[in-house]
Amino acid sequence: MNRIDRLFSQDLKVINMGLESFSKDLKNQEVPVVQMDWRPRAGGNAKLGALLDKLKSNK
Amino acid sequence: MEELIRKANEQALNNLQKARPTLIGMGVAKDMIPGMDKKTILHAGPPIKWENMSGPLKGAVIGGLIYEGLASNEDEATKLAASGEIKFDSCHHHDAVGPMAGVTTYSMPVWIVKNETFGNYAYCTLNEGLGKVLRYGAFNEEVITRLKWMENVLYPVLKAALELHGPLDLKSMIAQVVQMGDEGHNRNKAGTSLFIREFAPHIVLTEFSNEDKADVLKFMHSNDHFFLNLTMPSAKCTLDPVGNIPYSTIVYAMARNGTEFGIRVSGLGDQWFTAPAEVIDGLFFPGFTLEDANPDIGDSVITETSGLGGFAMATAPAIVQFVGGTPQDAINYTTMMYEITEEENDAYKMPSMNFRGTPTGIDIRKVIETQILPIINTGIAHKDPGVGQVGAGLVRPPMKCFEDALEAFVDKMTSEGIIK
């Protein structure tokens, strides 16, 4: 059995990041899932992300 | 740049953690608060002009002018307030803080709190209790009569008792109340009780009439928020030495005037970053709804800024009956605040969190990066002057304050040639 098939024959341990509906689908199928409260850095706002990057620079 | 910020924030948090706020006495605003005169009125939040003030702040200004004898009724007070003769300024600009409207005038008695580590002072008026009170914009005869009683009976009795007692270490007392179910903003039951326990023997030994002494004890006992006006100046004098540290991204003041919410960031000096204050969706008293609510108001969010209030809600599960939610929500709010703060408080430890220190020292970078805003629990004022408190709930500052502050910080570092 190759590794990917082995993975699918085991009980899944799922952590879902991002869209919560993915975790709800799994829950509906009685698959244990942990929904991680995650959002993109600076809410995905490129301007704010760039400002944060500037403060990490060494010059 | 990152190293400069790290060192500056380390200094800021060191100053915060080393603060020793101590109640050293009482006085009258005119004698104690820098820059006070008969025609100066201090208010909560960032600076605001009369015409932009919300109902409860206007109501409190009207009450303040009547209390000072500068006007004899609402019409006269309104005309005087609009005339340009009265100087309005933020409590924060005068080493002071005030709950809700925060109106502080010339003749009002104030607590004097000194940060013994750095030698700076903070002042705050005495808490009036609930119901029709000036801080919620009420100004009828009942309000003015109570303020006069506070000036003529409560203040001299407490001042004399404090002189017999000597200075009171507020940091130690607040550390105790945090372990007794108070979070220091909207639950002050333990703090008020401890304060009465500490001072009752000295009140009894003063030379005032038994009736006056009993009235003072009854007044404090009837008002669970009495201790709030000590926690607030304690937080203010703790945070002032956190300000004005070059390159620090730590927030050293948050405040609301009922129209705008403002924050100050250590490395950006005295500048306020403001945005329209949010309306609080909380638990309303019977007969009131969201429609009645004024936007967020008061300097009491200085407690959250110092690691108390909403940040310490895990230690005060009972508060959810006042502001909404469940005890688990309270734990979740506190846990979330660790994401946007630099350290755990050395003194304020929460039994329900395995004696973990409260989340302390808000970093604007973390707020922007995580998009998690500080959580604040607060009273809700009616939008019209004179009505009073209509509920309590949870609120957050506008994200714009933090976005503008971050942009200003980057601009400043660029103009100084520290970053490109």
Side-chain angles (χ1 to χ4, degrees), chain B residues 97-110:
Chain B
V97 275
M100 301 309 286
V103 160
T104 305
T105 64
Y106 193 70
S107 309
M108 289 184 181
V110 292

Side-chain angles (χ1 to χ4, degrees), chain B residues 34-182:
Chain B
M36 276 306 276
D37 60 45
K38 188 84 175 169
K39 292 197 170 174
T40 292
I41 291 193
L42 305 183
H43 60 77
I48 185 167
K49 292 179 178 159
W50 165 257
E51 56 267 31
N52 298 327
M53 289 180 189
S54 63
L57 181 48
K58 279 189 168 169
V61 167
I62 291 166
L65 292 171
I66 294 172
Y67 166 73
E68 288 296 341
L70 293 169
S72 56
N73 56 47
E74 181 180 354
D75 279 351
E76 273 183 38
T78 305
K79 277 186 195 135
L80 180 58
S83 70
E85 261 189 74
I86 302 298
K87 190 172 90 186
F88 296 108
D89 202 6
S90 297
C91 289
H92 267 285
H93 296 177
H94 297 259
D95 300 338
V97 275
M100 301 309 286
V103 160
T104 305
T105 64
Y106 193 70
S107 309
M108 289 184 181
V110 292
W111 299 111
I112 306 166
V113 180
K114 183 179 182 188
N115 182 341
E116 293 285 3
T117 310
F118 296 95
N120 60 302
Y121 292 84
Y123 307 95
C124 188
T125 54
L126 280 61
N127 197 289
E128 307 161 80
L130 293 172
K132 299 268 186 215
V133 285
L134 189 79
R135 72 179 187 282
Y136 280 98
F139 55 81
N140 63 14
E141 199 180 328
E142 172 193 343
V143 176
I144 306 301
T145 303
R146 187 187 307 105
L147 289 173
K148 287 289 173 194
W149 176 82
M150 290 169 72
E151 181 185 329
N152 296 320
V153 180
L154 180 67
Y155 162 60
V157 171
L158 286 178
K159 183 179 164 70
L162 185 56
E163 280 163 6
L164 290 172
H165 177 283
L168 174 72
D169 178 351
L170 281 172
K171 188 162 195 174
S172 163
M173 189 170 269
I174 294 168
Q176 288 180 66
V177 308
V178 166
Q179 297 198 13
M180 294 168 71
D182 279 5

